[in-house]
Amino acid sequence: MSNSTMTEPLAVDVPLRWSDMDAYGHVNNVQYLRLLEDARVVAIEKWFGDMGMLDAGVIVSRHEIEYLAPLVFRPAPVRIRLWPTVISAVGFDVAYAIGDPPDVGESVYARAETGLVAYDLAGSRPRRLTAEHRERLTALAGDPVTFRWRRRS
């Protein structure tokens, strides 16, 4: 996140559920999508407030997750830091770092990125982001996630 105009990423604490664990005793990879969604809904409300982004419609077009360390159930939540990255006429990407709250530790368990598309729910088609939405996203934007496979090329 070296974008010098970026504000600090939003930090959202998301609780873990006992049912998030799989047979191996760690949080199942599929459950990471729920954790990201929980944080993303909070973020969109904070980023856009009364601008109605969720009411107007926004859908997921893509997820990418890179797992860095096993996450096991504990009473403490995970802290998900997130920020918008690439912004287009009809959508934007959200980057995430999934780790510990400061009072729990310093581990980072995964990094991820989600593609979102502004969507006209009634018309069942993508819609353009408003100028105000793009302006807000640009003010908050940071660098995209650098996944390991991208660093090798």
Side-chain angles (χ1 to χ4, degrees), residues 43-91:
I44 288 173
E45 284 295 317
K46 286 190 182 287
W47 293 340
F48 296 105
D50 60 354
M51 297 171 75
M53 174 64 86
L54 288 176
D55 293 335
V58 61
I59 61 171
V60 171
S61 63
R62 173 183 68 80
H63 286 300
E64 187 169 354
I65 303 173
E66 184 171 75
Y67 303 98
L68 304 171
L71 173 59
V72 297
F73 177 81
R74 80 259 182 122
V78 290
R79 173 150 301 168
I80 301 178
R81 293 181 310 120
L82 60 165
W83 61 98
T85 62
V86 178
I87 303 157
S88 72
V90 297

Side-chain angles (χ1 to χ4, degrees), residues 6 8 13 29 31 35-36 38 41 50 73 82 96 98 100 104 110 113-114 119 121 129 136 140 143 148:
M6 179 188 165
E8 284 295 310
D13 290 346
N29 64 310
Q31 296 305 321
L35 297 171
L36 297 178
D38 288 352
V41 169
D50 60 354
F73 177 81
L82 60 165
Y96 313 82
I98 302 158
D100 289 326
V104 173
E113 199 168 70
T114 298
Y119 201 75
L121 299 170
L129 289 169
R136 180 75 50 92
L140 298 168
D143 294 331
R148 284 184 295 230

